[in-house]
């Protein structure tokens, strides 16, 4: 079944560790996005990609990096995790941009950095 | 820059009462607006989009360019409507989607 998958669902990690949040989609979508969401707050776009080898920074400054080597895979990496990175990270994809291309979201990864 | 405002963090209504979730936006171009919903323990998903002028699960939303609003309405709330609702604006110039802070709808039995 076509879907978008995020792993892990929950991650608790110590300060200074390198982590990678995985996001994969089997919907054949070109566009992929990473949003950061703190409880009760809006979703902030931190990275997006319009296709293979295309990555852009979003509205919210983030110390994370992303890569897009394959259409279906859009991992997010934090080289050195800090408590300020504690948040929920949502991955999304869309077939295109705009009115005819709503976002399809994964279940999210809730990251806690101790 | 584009902005989406949802003034209510929490809206509590009784079952059978009308519901109106407010959304205002600011954008200099032609707006494209959406409502997304997140039910308990489920992922965020599209509810409806203004371009479709559709009614989904009894919800409707009309774009009012004069008031720069896109309020979500339902005449009779059901318990299963309890969820987080996010208004979102697609800005063609930037090809990005901007979300509001969300409103938690609580339908009281």
């Amino acid at each position: 079944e076509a879907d978008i998958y995020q792993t892990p669902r929950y991650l608790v990690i110590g300060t200074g560790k390198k982590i990678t949040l995985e996001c994969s989609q089997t919907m054949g979508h070109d566009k992929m996005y990473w949003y950061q969401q703190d409880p009760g707050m809006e979703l902030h776009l931190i990275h997006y990609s319009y296709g293979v080898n295309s990555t852009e920074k979003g509205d919210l400054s983030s110390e994370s990096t992303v890569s897009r080597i394959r259409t279906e895979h859009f991992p997010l990496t934090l080289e050195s995790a800090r408590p300020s990175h504690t948040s929920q990270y949502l991955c999304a994809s869309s077939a295109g941009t705009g009115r005819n291309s709503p976002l399809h979201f994964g279940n999210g990864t809730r990251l806690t950095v101790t | 820059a584009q902005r989406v405002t949802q003034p209510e963090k929490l809206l509590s209504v009784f079952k059978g009462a009308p519901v109106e979730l407010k959304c205002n936006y600011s954008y200099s171009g032609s707006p494209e607006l959406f409502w997304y919903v997140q039910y308990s323990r489920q992922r965020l998903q599209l509810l409806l989009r203004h371009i479709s002028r559709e009614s989904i699960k009894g919800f409707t939303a009309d774009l009012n360019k004069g008031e720069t609003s896109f309020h979500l309405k339902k005449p009779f709330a059901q318990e299963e409507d309890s969820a987080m609702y996010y208004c979102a604006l697609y800005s063609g110039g930037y090809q990005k989607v901007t979300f509001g802070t969300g409103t938690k709808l609580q339908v009281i039995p």
Side-chain angles (χ1 to χ4, degrees), chain A residues 3-4 35 37 40-43 45 48 50 58-59 88 90 97-103 105-107, chain B residues 2-4 9 32 34 36 38 42-46 49 51 86 90 94-101:
Chain A
D3 205 348
I4 179 166
Y35 284 87
Q37 182 186 30
M41 304 294 286
E42 62 205 276
L43 283 74
L45 180 67
Y48 59 102
Y50 288 155
D59 301 321
Q88 169 148 276
L90 296 175
T97 55
R99 65 183 71 180
N100 294 319
S101 302
L103 299 175
F105 283 90
N107 280 313
Chain B
Q2 65 273 26
R3 188 170 180 83
V4 177
K9 279 193 176 292
E32 297 177 18
F34 305 81
Y36 285 81
Q38 186 169 26
Q42 295 187 28
R43 64 181 71 183
L44 196 58
Q45 58 187 290
L46 177 71
R49 64 193 96 176
I51 197 69
Y86 293 90
Y90 171 74
Y94 303 102
Q95 296 191 25
K96 290 185 291 189
V97 178
T98 300
F99 286 84
T101 51

Side-chain angles (χ1 to χ4, degrees), chain A residues 24-97:
Chain A
S24 295
Q25 50 97 2
T26 56
M27 293 183 284
H29 288 168
D30 285 329
K31 314 297 189 290
M32 296 189 75
Y33 312 82
W34 276 103
Y35 284 87
Q36 184 175 341
Q37 182 186 30
D38 293 319
M41 304 294 286
E42 62 205 276
L43 283 74
H44 290 286
L45 180 67
I46 52 175
H47 296 284
Y48 59 102
S49 167
Y50 288 155
V52 171
N53 294 326
S54 151
T55 60
E56 301 287 345
K57 287 189 179 295
D59 301 321
L60 183 67
S61 175
S62 174
E63 294 164 343
S64 58
T65 58
V66 292
S67 63
R68 190 85 184 276
I69 299 172
R70 303 198 315 267
T71 299
E72 62 271 19
H73 195 212
F74 191 42
L76 181 145
T77 298
L78 278 165
E79 290 293 330
S80 179
R82 293 210 299 268
S84 60
H85 297 139
T86 295
S87 189
Q88 169 148 276
Y89 293 84
L90 296 175
C91 183
S93 71
S94 67
T97 55

